[in-house]
Amino acid sequence: MLNAIAADEIATHEINAHEAYNQSQDQRLPRTSPMQAESSFKVACSNCNLRELCLPIGLSTDEMSKLDGMVATRKKVKQGGHLFSSGDPFTTLYAIRTGFFKTCVVSEDGREQVTGFQMAGEIMGLDGIVSDKHNCNAIALEDAEVCVMPFNHVEDLSREIPMLQRHVHKIMSREIVRENGVMMLLANMRAEERLAAFLLNLLQRLHARGYSKSELILRMTREEIGSYLGMKLETVSRTFSKFSDEGIIEVKQKNIRILDHEKLQAIFNASTC
Amino acid sequence: MLNAIAADEIATHEINAHEAYNQSQDQRLPRTSPMQAESSFKVACSNCNLRELCLPIGLSTDEMSKLDGMVATRKKVKQGGHLFSSGDPFTTLYAIRTGFFKTCVVSEDGREQVTGFQMAGEIMGLDGIVSDKHNCNAIALEDAEVCVMPFNHVEDLSREIPMLQRHVHKIMSREIVRENGVMMLLANMRAEERLAAFLLNLLQRLHARGYSKSELILRMTREEIGSYLGMKLETVSRTFSKFSDEGIIEVKQKNIRILDHEKLQAIFNASTC
DNA sequence: CGGACTATTTGATATGCATCAAGAAGTCAT
DNA sequence: ATGACTTCTTGATGCATATCAAATAGTCCG
């Protein structure tokens, strides 16, 4: 049933991330860590507290040390900055360490279609593999840092470490399944259902990273939400207001508090029953 | 610009297929070949006249003979039959040899969202990798035959043959990019633009397989088209009629003849300018 | 061939969301 | 803090497509 699809596939971006993060909630995102001079520290996946999100689990220490060669370097991107742009030559994948991104395609006249929002532990750049150049823009919605993983390193290591090979395949498959879910959302759901699905998806992904299930800060504008969900910003705003009137959520600008998770879920489920 | 995206990515499903097929148009699809007892012949990619669609180009004969182990067997699917269903354990990918498929997700009450249409040379089953079970149904829209490629064979061979590894990555990336295009179509375009995009996409893929650029037979119903394009079957029908009235196409049931390719392209471009 | 079914077309009407518009709230830079 | 800018909210109206309905065409099978 659609519900199952949505709960598992639309909404779930990460496997095992949940468990991993329940263990160490208070050291979760070192966004405000005093150590800012990362370049002087060794860039090592083996010490990274996001490795449960990015990497396969159960690697031997030997394999793990090989993997440390995968990330060539790190890169910071300021809010509003482009990590890569459509047409850029594709050479590397990126894993988000901190921050929040959107990926989008922009037409000549400036209209944009947001194709996804990405957060810590998620991989960007997969769209570039097919034609050796990027197919979309990746723009930071807040100051961010990413791990730069040259794609031929990834491929070389994948041939040596079958578990990594499988992991890469799963990441790509997951993106395919996610987009399947978005297609369904765009083709079949009404505005309220879309927004409910969107919020539930964000909540779940954030929860897997140790954040609250009942509160979130939107990093994107109403217009960007609308673009992603195939509706106009006014409709996004109205729908937020409607949810607010009905006591389902509390909206204070970009701060959203979930007052009635069940009802939100019910609105989303409505589309499937 | 959107046009470029659409022309290259929404519309293009295959690379190099075009060139390959211009060379040997008359032996293209052996659908009506007298040799029906395939099981008695060796299943070998190296002799397959679809290999330019499925496989990387430029392999050595040594690599090519290794590859012959990739396809374990072939499988026939009758019109209306399921190649696989949502929830089935995932073990293999499938390459279409002959016939035409749709992939879709179905909700409990029977409503379906078509997520794609697949034809000869295209790969199905990628959605199953992430969770080791299939995430959608693959249903034959006409009698079909597929090559069964156990996924662990594919992974084993990928580690030995870097060009195959890259090829597998490209196929998955292409699917991601295709779905990006569909998202844009669903979120931004109006009915006429969607149908124009759909027809142009089919025409291009068929042309790459040696078929006419100005004629096609729809293997799917209006309802299936509508599901894919996020519109109701009545709207699909009306839009066909409109195109017909305007002299852009000629519609005889499932037979479509393109009378004014330029105009069709212009309708599609309209969405991007 | 004939009957039952499915698929398609076309018309009339309803509706959800887009569009247009204007003001309010929030943010940023000086 | 002040003004300029962006983002957001809310209202009024219009339109594209959905919905409901019925007739026609095509297909399948005994």
Side-chain angles (χ1 to χ4, degrees):
Chain A
M1 81 176 202
L2 276 187
N3 190 10
I5 292 152
D8 290 1
E9 267 73 55
I10 301 188
T12 304
H13 231 191
E14 306 304 330
I15 5 176
N16 294 320
H18 195 126
E19 292 78 0
Y21 271 76
N22 279 346
Q23 295 162 10
S24 57
Q25 291 214 2
D26 29 15
Q27 47 168 325
R28 53 208 182 203
L29 289 186
R31 189 174 301 164
T32 53
S33 149
M35 312 179 193
Q36 287 294 349
E38 286 90 345
S39 44
S40 65
F41 282 87
K42 192 165 164 265
V43 170
C45 293
S46 50
N47 314 324
C48 179
N49 62 356
L50 287 171
R51 69 172 181 281
E52 311 277 358
L53 290 172
C54 296
L55 299 179
I57 47 174
L59 291 177
S60 68
T61 45
D62 185 44
E63 290 170 327
M64 206 59 184
S65 63
K66 271 187 192 168
L67 265 191
D68 285 341
M70 192 164 66
V71 173
T73 172
R74 293 206 183 126
K75 185 173 172 178
K76 293 191 175 187
V77 188
K78 281 256 165 258
Q79 181 169 26
H82 284 234
L83 175 60
F84 55 78
S85 302
S86 192
D88 287 355
F90 165 80
T91 57
T92 80
L93 297 178
Y94 302 93
I96 302 177
R97 251 182 81 73
T98 63
F100 200 93
F101 285 83
K102 68 172 176 183
T103 46
C104 62
V105 197
V106 180
S107 64
E108 275 175 337
D109 61 352
R111 274 184 313 137
E112 74 176 19
Q113 170 63 29
V114 172
T115 56
F117 297 108
Q118 294 81 19
M119 57 180 73
E122 295 178 341
I123 308 297
M124 288 187 296
L126 300 170
D127 58 279
I129 299 169
V130 61
S131 55
D132 294 313
K133 50 183 208 230
H134 284 290
N135 186 262
C136 63
N137 302 318
I139 298 170
L141 296 179
E142 59 181 351
D143 290 358
E145 189 181 22
V146 299
C147 296
V148 177
M149 306 183 292
F151 190 55
N152 47 29
H153 287 209
V154 175
E155 289 194 316
D156 292 348
L157 282 166
S158 283
R159 289 197 298 274
E160 291 178 37
I161 309 172
M163 279 177 81
L164 177 64
Q165 180 190 34
R166 173 57 62 102
H167 191 71
V168 170
H169 291 152
K170 284 197 188 237
I171 285 170
M172 299 190 79
S173 176
R174 185 178 304 140
E175 179 66 5
I176 290 170
V177 170
R178 179 189 73 86
E179 294 192 359
N180 270 221
V182 176
M183 283 173 60
M184 181 151 40
L185 178 145
L186 290 171
N188 285 320
M189 297 190 192
R190 281 170 312 102
E192 288 179 44
E193 297 163 353
R194 292 181 199 194
L195 195 64
F198 171 74
L199 288 173
L200 290 169
N201 171 278
L202 276 186
L203 283 169
Q204 171 166 356
R205 285 156 66 198
L206 288 168
H207 185 59
R209 286 158 180 77
Y211 290 101
S212 166
K213 241 180 185 166
S214 63
E215 221 169 336
L216 77 162
I217 299 174
L218 300 172
R219 301 296 175 181
M220 69 295 283
T221 65
R222 304 290 191 259
E223 188 169 16
E224 287 161 339
I225 297 172
S227 171
Y228 183 60
L229 298 178
M231 50 208 252
K232 294 293 147 184
L233 70 94
E234 294 94 329
T235 307
V236 174
S237 178
R238 275 184 240 275
T239 310
F240 271 130
S241 299
K242 183 154 190 287
F243 285 176
S244 181
D245 291 348
E246 290 169 350
I248 299 169
I249 62 175
E250 193 180 293
V251 183
K252 280 207 186 103
Q253 285 297 115
K254 305 220 167 188
N255 300 290
I256 309 288
R257 180 189 296 276
I258 310 300
L259 303 174
D260 193 339
H261 200 281
E262 306 255 312
K263 226 183 237 175
L264 201 59
Q265 189 75 50
I267 288 169
F268 170 63
N269 288 346
S271 60
T272 69
C273 309
Chain B
M1 79 178 202
L2 277 186
N3 189 10
I5 293 149
D8 290 1
E9 267 74 52
I10 302 185
T12 304
H13 230 192
E14 308 302 331
I15 6 176
N16 295 320
H18 195 124
E19 293 78 0
Y21 272 76
N22 280 344
Q23 294 162 11
S24 57
Q25 289 213 5
D26 29 13
Q27 49 169 321
R28 54 209 181 200
L29 291 185
R31 189 175 300 163
T32 52
S33 147
M35 314 179 191
Q36 288 293 348
E38 285 89 349
S39 45
S40 66
F41 282 89
K42 194 164 163 264
V43 171
C45 293
S46 50
N47 314 324
C48 179
N49 61 356
L50 287 171
R51 69 173 181 280
E52 310 277 1
L53 290 172
C54 296
L55 300 178
I57 46 174
L59 292 176
S60 69
T61 45
D62 185 44
E63 289 170 326
M64 208 57 185
S65 63
K66 272 189 192 168
L67 265 190
D68 285 342
M70 191 163 69
V71 174
T73 172
R74 293 205 184 128
K75 186 174 172 178
K76 293 191 176 188
V77 188
K78 282 256 165 259
Q79 180 170 27
H82 283 235
L83 176 59
F84 54 79
S85 302
S86 194
D88 287 355
F90 164 79
T91 57
T92 80
L93 297 178
Y94 302 93
I96 302 177
R97 251 182 80 75
T98 63
F100 200 94
F101 284 82
K102 68 172 176 181
T103 47
C104 61
V105 197
V106 180
S107 65
E108 275 175 337
D109 60 353
R111 274 185 311 135
E112 73 176 21
Q113 170 63 29
V114 172
T115 56
F117 297 108
Q118 294 81 19
M119 58 180 74
E122 295 177 344
I123 308 296
M124 288 187 297
L126 300 170
D127 58 279
I129 299 169
V130 63
S131 56
D132 293 314
K133 49 181 208 237
H134 284 288
N135 185 263
C136 62
N137 303 318
I139 297 171
L141 296 180
E142 56 181 352
D143 290 359
E145 189 182 22
V146 299
C147 295
V148 178
M149 305 184 292
F151 189 55
N152 47 29
H153 286 211
V154 175
E155 289 194 317
D156 292 347
L157 283 167
S158 284
R159 290 198 299 276
E160 292 178 39
I161 309 174
M163 278 177 83
L164 176 64
Q165 180 190 36
R166 173 57 61 102
H167 191 72
V168 169
H169 291 151
K170 284 197 187 235
I171 284 171
M172 297 190 80
S173 176
R174 184 178 308 143
E175 180 65 6
I176 290 170
V177 170
R178 178 189 75 85
E179 293 191 0
N180 270 222
V182 177
M183 283 173 61
M184 179 151 41
L185 177 144
L186 290 171
N188 286 319
M189 297 189 193
R190 283 171 310 104
E192 289 179 43
E193 296 162 353
R194 292 180 198 193
L195 195 64
F198 171 75
L199 288 174
L200 289 168
N201 171 277
L202 276 186
L203 282 169
Q204 171 168 357
R205 285 156 67 199
L206 288 168
H207 185 58
R209 286 159 178 78
Y211 291 100
S212 167
K213 241 179 184 166
S214 62
E215 220 169 337
L216 77 162
I217 299 174
L218 300 171
R219 302 296 175 181
M220 70 293 285
T221 67
R222 304 291 192 257
E223 187 168 19
E224 286 161 339
I225 297 171
S227 172
Y228 183 61
L229 298 178
M231 49 209 254
K232 294 294 151 187
L233 70 93
E234 294 94 329
T235 307
V236 174
S237 177
R238 277 185 239 276
T239 309
F240 270 131
S241 299
K242 183 153 188 289
F243 285 176
S244 182
D245 291 348
E246 290 169 349
I248 298 169
I249 61 175
E250 192 179 296
V251 182
K252 278 207 187 105
Q253 284 297 116
K254 307 222 166 188
N255 300 290
I256 309 288
R257 179 189 297 274
I258 311 301
L259 302 174
D260 194 338
H261 200 281
E262 306 254 311
K263 226 183 233 172
L264 200 59
Q265 190 74 49
I267 288 169
F268 171 63
N269 289 346
S271 61
T272 69
C273 308

